[in-house]
Amino acid sequence: MATLTKKQKKVRNRIAAAAVLLILFKLLPLSGWLQAVCFLIPYFIIGYDVLRKAFMGIANGQVFDENFLMAIATVGAFATGEFDEAVFVMLFYQTGELFQDYAVGKSRASITALMDIRPDYANIERDGKLVQVDPDEVQIGETIVVKPGERIPLDGTILKGFSTLDTSALTGESMPREVEPGMEVISGCINQTGILNIQTTKEFGESTVAKILDLVENASDKKGRIENFITRFARYYTPVVVFAALALAILPPLITQQPFSTWIYRALTFLVISCPCALVISI
């Protein structure tokens, strides 16, 4: 299991501290201004960075983002007397952000490890000597020699030798795989014990390693295009949500003569559930 970074541990500790204080203040018989002051403590512990980002966004002319929505929704909750709701919302948001950051970190580490599976060379016997050549230069049907500790550069069939292979980089399997003459092996695996003579069955461009790396690169390109679309979409989505919430807070009370406080609370709820965090995380 991957360990948390220093930043992630700090966020985790803030979440824990805010959660403990929230439960404590919920159990205590607090009321009035004392209740508001007490709930401000866990609120600022868990949400000060969101408020800072929202303020910086406003100062830089980039108002409408998820930080702005979270800030206005939770500040509004405090204004309507729903102190615990404000802390709950910020607490859940930061918990989600922590899980997102942890998942992204694991993905980046996995991709970094995956990019290391590309072999740098292949051993071919020429004139009675082993020479190192680029895997792209090896043709189908040629025999390559893989020594212990080396990575298999191309897919092929074992002609000679017994060994165990570390396939964890490709399959995630932690246990070594035993191989013998006649068995097929794929590129990217690490030879652990014996020397293997392998007859290649694919060129490097068609090997398992090449296809995996190509998929990773293409996926990164597609991800970039999706991210650009989400960025353009957010320019329109977030302002629409804010103005819709504003209309929800003002128009129904004027039409139905109901209390403004009821519809303001509903507008704040609408802001929270409309926050595009899930959409942004999905890219």
Side-chain angles (χ1 to χ4, degrees), residues 109-119 209 212-213 216-217:
S110 298
I111 292 175
T112 300
L114 182 62
M115 299 305 288
D116 290 336
I117 68 176
R118 190 189 193 283
V209 165
I212 290 176
L213 295 178
V216 172
E217 292 170 359

Side-chain angles (χ1 to χ4, degrees), residues 195-209:
I195 297 177
L196 296 176
N197 287 29
I198 302 173
Q199 184 179 51
T200 61
T201 56
K202 295 180 181 178
E203 295 181 347
F204 180 74
E206 296 297 323
S207 66
T208 302
V209 165

Side-chain angles (χ1 to χ4, degrees), residues 107-180:
S107 298
R108 287 175 177 168
S110 298
I111 292 175
T112 300
L114 182 62
M115 299 305 288
D116 290 336
I117 68 176
R118 190 189 193 283
D120 296 323
Y121 60 88
N123 297 318
I124 292 185
E125 188 172 343
R126 291 179 178 172
D127 299 327
K129 296 181 180 180
L130 284 181
V131 294
Q132 294 183 353
V133 300
D134 192 285
D136 286 315
E137 299 178 11
V138 181
Q139 302 298 317
I140 296 177
E142 288 194 272
T143 301
I144 59 176
V145 179
V146 183
K147 301 175 183 179
E150 293 183 333
R151 196 178 296 275
I152 297 177
L154 296 102
D155 297 1
T157 303
I158 298 177
L159 298 177
K160 180 182 177 182
F162 296 83
S163 184
T164 55
L165 302 181
D166 178 3
T167 63
S168 58
L170 298 176
T171 65
E173 179 59 51
S174 60
M175 295 297 293
R177 173 193 172 196
E178 295 184 355
V179 293
E180 59 186 23

Side-chain angles (χ1 to χ4, degrees), residues 252-263:
L254 295 178
I255 297 174
T256 63
Q257 302 301 314
Q258 292 181 339
F260 273 94
S261 59
T262 300
W263 286 96

Side-chain angles (χ1 to χ4, degrees), residues 41-56:
I41 298 174
Y43 176 75
F44 281 118
I45 289 176
I46 195 62
Y48 73 86
D49 54 338
V50 175
L51 298 177
R52 178 178 56 82
K53 291 176 182 177
F55 177 78
M56 293 300 296

